Amino acid sequence: MKGTVTAVVGANWGDEGKGKVTDLLASDADVVVRFQGGNNAGHTIINEFGKFVLHMLPSGVFHERVINVIGPGAALNISGFVQEYEKLLASQVPKPQLRISDRCQVILPYHLLFDALEEERLGSRQFGSTKSGIAPFYADKYLKIGIQVADLYDRQRLLNRLEQALESKNIILEHLYHKDALAVESLMEQLLQEGEAIKPFVCDTTSLLNRMLHEGKSVLIEGQLGALRDPDHGIYPYSTSSSTLAGFAPVGAGIPPYAIRRIIAVAKAYSSCVGAGPFVTELQGEEGDELRQRGGDGGEFGSKTGRPRRVGWFDAVATRYGCMVQGATEVALSLLDVLSYLDRIPVCTAYEINGERTKEFPTTGRLEQAVPVYEWLPGWKCDITGIKTFDELPEEAKQYVRFLEKQIGVPIRSISNGPRREHFIWREEEVEI
């Protein structure tokens, strides 16, 4: 195995800034791969072509020579894929190279329907779904009634698979949700048309990736959401339905596990999340509103839903845990420039749960009882946007980065300090943890 694989994954709840890091690193990669999730979240990228939010496409599509792969572990929303692709071309982005695994499974219209109906039924107990069909999709995948891309080119097989799925779907629709049953004929025609729309992109991506690795090519793998949304290691049941961890990337992409040598966990210089679940450092009122308005590019609002993101101070307990389960070899710290307005900056270094102090990230039930314990650092009170080197940062900003690094136990090798691709600092100094 001659090629190298780098994974870019989230250390927290998602929305950490992974798209920008992937877009930046893609300039030196031969392949960029999406290995899990669907179009239920977005990667915001600002470059010379404009501002884009990618939900389904890999973040390497702005580099003409890069091959962009949607792997077998992803949840393919075909209409979402086509719309994003056409929007890119209409924005004068050079035609990207795209490949879709023939083993990838397809989000179906009834997955979106069931997602919305179940959230409506749950009411105040709902999980904050984006209603993109992700949970019903992965449920069907593991119930073995999903539809693979390859099935779209075999009419009889597709009909048999749909009829099998609808046997149970229609019973639930009629008796639990009191809705009309679905007809297989209309679904068939829609899927056959969608299959034709993506046919030029479909291939055996597993063989493609392994061949490229043997040829010494550079592969970049990007995750969706973050470690704390993982169904096994995250804040279950407020999680997503596919593994968000770098450890799953070889499975979802179709490459050997030993090929991944570098794992970059992305974390914000503060905290944010979209969706339900415990969020220990969450800010309310004016303090939260100010951070939300200053955050990101144009404020902290969900790239998929437009919902205001919940925001809070940096949570070292959660981030240390996220980096651990990701197996992070380094951290990319995003949006450091956002904190430039503060006189003092709090960092959560421990939790207090029922009178006991801990630095371990607990299971969800105990996490819901956790109260943050803060340490305060001095702010730098000046605009750091676009500074090129770590040494040029104000001493207080460097102190903040080094403090976070000590807390999470992983070297911070890169820092974003502005919204654009070029607003990035690669840290050259030796780091002792």
Side-chain angles (χ1 to χ4, degrees):
M1 186 65 60
K2 302 174 185 176
T4 59
V5 180
T6 297
V8 178
V9 289
N12 298 127
W13 301 263
D15 303 305
E16 298 98 344
K18 297 180 294 297
K20 180 179 179 180
V21 176
T22 307
D23 173 56
L24 193 67
L25 293 174
S27 61
D28 294 322
D30 297 299
V31 191
V32 174
V33 188
R34 275 284 306 273
F35 70 87
Q36 50 85 215
N39 65 336
N40 53 316
H43 290 170
T44 302
I45 296 172
I46 301 173
N47 55 32
E48 67 270 25
F49 302 108
K51 178 180 178 180
F52 300 87
V53 180
L54 303 179
H55 301 290
M56 197 71 255
L57 299 181
S59 297
V61 290
F62 301 102
H63 302 272
E64 198 171 358
R65 68 173 192 82
V66 172
I67 297 174
N68 292 270
V69 172
I70 296 178
L76 177 65
N77 183 309
I78 295 179
S79 63
F81 171 90
V82 172
Q83 288 170 16
E84 283 187 38
Y85 178 67
E86 290 177 346
K87 187 176 180 180
L88 275 193
L89 298 184
S91 301
Q92 307 305 310
V93 174
K95 187 176 181 179
Q97 298 188 63
L98 288 160
R99 305 288 187 272
I100 298 171
S101 170
D102 52 7
R103 296 180 184 271
C104 190
Q105 294 201 17
V106 180
I107 294 177
L108 300 168
Y110 52 71
H111 292 142
L112 283 80
L113 175 62
F114 275 88
D115 201 351
L117 289 173
E118 183 62 8
E119 285 288 277
E120 182 182 336
R121 186 186 72 83
L122 288 171
S124 62
R125 297 172 293 144
Q126 62 185 238
F127 298 113
S129 169
T130 62
K131 301 182 179 65
S132 302
I134 301 301
F137 165 88
Y138 280 106
D140 280 3
K141 181 173 183 174
Y142 295 110
L143 283 168
K144 296 179 282 292
I145 56 173
I147 303 294
Q148 288 186 314
V149 166
D151 297 333
L152 304 180
Y153 309 106
D154 184 335
R155 190 181 188 97
Q156 188 58 50
R157 178 176 173 80
L158 179 60
L159 177 62
N160 294 342
R161 299 290 296 161
L162 284 173
E163 287 177 338
Q164 180 187 3
L166 288 182
E167 286 175 7
S168 58
K169 299 294 178 193
N170 280 335
I171 292 172
I172 297 170
L173 266 177
E174 293 178 299
H175 295 282
L176 178 60
Y177 298 119
H178 308 293
K179 300 294 182 181
D180 293 335
L182 297 171
V184 70
E185 293 80 11
S186 59
L187 280 171
M188 273 284 295
E189 291 311 310
Q190 178 181 338
L191 289 173
L192 289 169
Q193 290 175 19
E194 289 183 343
E196 287 303 309
I198 63 168
K199 196 170 185 178
F201 309 112
V202 175
C203 69
D204 176 358
T205 61
T206 302
S207 294
L208 170 69
L209 288 173
N210 279 269
R211 185 169 63 251
M212 295 190 77
L213 283 172
H214 281 289
E215 292 171 357
K217 303 297 186 183
S218 171
V219 177
L220 186 60
I221 295 180
E222 64 170 333
Q224 180 223 47
L225 296 172
L228 305 182
R229 296 295 188 190
D230 185 80
D232 294 304
H233 297 276
I235 54 172
Y236 184 86
Y238 305 101
S239 56
T240 192
S241 300
S242 64
S243 178
T244 58
L245 302 184
F248 180 74
V251 178
I255 59 172
Y258 55 79
I260 300 180
R261 305 293 179 84
R262 182 185 183 193
I263 300 172
I264 303 173
V266 186
K268 276 180 178 166
Y270 52 96
S271 297
S272 74
C273 82
V274 172
F279 182 28
V280 175
T281 67
E282 183 171 11
L283 295 171
Q284 306 290 347
E286 292 183 5
E287 195 174 24
D289 289 340
E290 183 167 17
L291 180 55
R292 185 177 299 107
Q293 293 298 328
R294 289 177 177 272
D297 175 57
E300 289 288 357
F301 298 91
S303 54
K304 173 68 179 178
T305 63
R307 290 182 294 190
R309 289 190 184 123
R310 301 159 68 193
V311 296
W313 303 125
F314 188 90
D315 188 333
V317 179
T319 307
R320 181 170 57 250
Y321 174 80
C323 289
M324 177 182 71
V325 296
Q326 288 288 14
T329 58
E330 63 188 270
V331 165
L333 189 69
S334 64
L335 299 171
L336 182 65
D337 55 299
V338 169
L339 300 180
S340 297
Y341 72 100
L342 294 162
D343 293 309
R344 295 196 308 158
I345 307 173
V347 175
C348 174
T349 56
Y351 296 158
E352 195 167 283
I353 304 173
N354 297 326
E356 295 184 5
R357 187 167 291 194
T358 181
K359 291 192 173 186
E360 301 298 319
F361 191 75
T363 54
T364 307
R366 283 174 51 79
L367 189 63
E368 288 171 338
Q369 304 171 51
V371 176
V373 177
Y374 287 115
E375 293 187 41
W376 297 78
L377 281 81
W380 45 93
K381 295 291 288 183
C382 64
D383 184 13
I384 61 170
T385 304
I387 287 176
K388 298 296 184 184
T389 68
F390 187 74
D391 285 343
E392 292 177 86
L393 288 171
E395 193 57 42
E396 295 84 358
K398 290 188 281 189
Q399 180 183 345
Y400 184 75
V401 171
R402 288 171 179 147
F403 182 81
L404 299 189
E405 195 170 55
K406 292 287 186 184
Q407 290 294 317
I408 62 179
V410 180
I412 295 173
R413 294 291 186 193
S414 53
I415 302 161
S416 85
N417 60 334
R420 299 188 63 83
R421 179 190 282 169
E422 62 269 21
H423 294 155
F424 222 84
I425 296 170
W426 295 104
R427 193 169 166 210
E428 302 296 338
E429 67 173 5
E430 288 297 320
V431 176
E432 293 184 11
I433 301 299

